Amino acid sequence: MHLSRLICSAFLLVVLPAAYSPAGAGAAIGVAMDDFSYTDTSAEPANQAAAHERRLSAFMAALRRDISADGRYRPVPSAQDGAAFKVIGGIQKTSTLVQWAKVAVIDVGAKKIVMDKLYTFRGDNDESWERAEIFVSREVMAALSTPAPVALAVFDFELEDTTAASAGASAASDASYLAEVTGSVREALGQSGRYRIVDISGEAVKARALRDCGGCEAAIAQKLGADQSLIGVVRRVSRTEYTLGFQLRDARTGAVLARGDSGLRMGADYSWKRGAVRLVSDRLIESQAKP
């Protein structure tokens, strides 16, 4: 169906403006919206082009009116004119009674599609088009109010060992457990929808311990295009006890945004992963979800 290709093509054609900041003092957020395309593949004998043009025009006018009526948003001609979001879509009539609408909302600054849905509505008269517009309008407004995920650079968790017992096979085992911790924390934060995990594989940070570099990880994260950085430490107290900690910084300013520490001695190395995921979930995911 050509509606799926429409969204992909339109996304690739968006020209991104200079960095957009949604933190303007009370400023309405710019939303650009092109007229939706319309395709009739129903093979009905009557030529309904004029009626479809009229109904599509009324549909787009109502959709723009609904978005403008919310004081948080203002219509702008295009992404180059300061739009934070771009709305694109198309409608296809496949039979006498069935039409499909493909609608996407693009977060211009984050270069991310925040909504991409396919709807079906029955009928091809003024009433059915009006019902469809009301439904699509609600969906678009919901997508516009959903914040884009924070780009987060999660650096490899480090081991602070006070037992001086990590040599040989133990060191290899520690490295394996630390890799599991880092991978699981990245997965948990990424799946939360609050964060977009930035790839750090091309950045050489192994030469020094980030926990002792005075916040240098923030600058590294900024170079990688991240909004925030996260470092974590596993502190081994004994061969069967450990504590956990992490620190979250603003990549631009280096300011500490959040800290977490287990504060308790927990089980052996095989339980590092479980403890780390629980800690970041409690402090960065579940706590932010509470009103």
Side-chain angles (χ1 to χ4, degrees), residues 112-264:
K112 180 181 177 64
I113 296 177
V114 296
M115 186 188 95
D116 182 6
K117 293 186 178 180
L118 182 64
Y119 308 98
T120 181
F121 63 99
R122 297 182 65 81
D124 185 11
N125 54 42
D126 292 349
E127 183 181 357
S128 63
W129 277 75
E130 183 178 348
R131 286 197 307 269
E133 186 280 326
I134 292 172
F135 185 83
V136 169
S137 173
R138 289 173 181 164
E139 294 280 287
V140 169
M141 294 295 288
L144 291 175
S145 63
T146 302
V150 175
L152 176 63
V154 178
F155 293 100
D156 293 345
F157 271 62
E158 300 172 357
L159 176 63
E160 187 177 292
D161 191 349
T162 62
T163 67
S166 296
S170 178
S173 176
D174 289 343
S176 175
Y177 284 125
L178 285 172
E180 287 186 3
V181 169
T182 304
S184 297
V185 166
R186 286 174 179 152
E187 182 178 11
L189 292 171
Q191 289 181 349
S192 73
R194 295 181 179 276
Y195 299 97
R196 175 174 60 84
I197 305 304
V198 173
D199 182 13
I200 66 164
S201 59
E203 185 67 28
V205 295
K206 293 291 187 183
R208 54 189 167 173
L210 293 181
R211 67 182 184 275
D212 296 327
C213 75
C216 69
E217 74 276 5
I220 298 172
Q222 185 179 33
K223 278 197 272 184
L224 294 169
D227 302 314
Q228 297 175 5
S229 65
L230 184 145
I231 58 171
V233 181
V234 178
R235 304 182 192 91
R236 176 180 279 137
V237 180
S238 72
R239 296 305 302 177
T240 57
E241 296 177 305
Y242 74 96
T243 64
L244 281 163
F246 76 85
Q247 190 161 258
L248 186 76
R249 289 183 185 270
D250 183 294
R252 185 177 60 85
T253 66
V256 175
L257 302 175
R259 288 190 178 96
D261 200 299
S262 63
L264 298 172

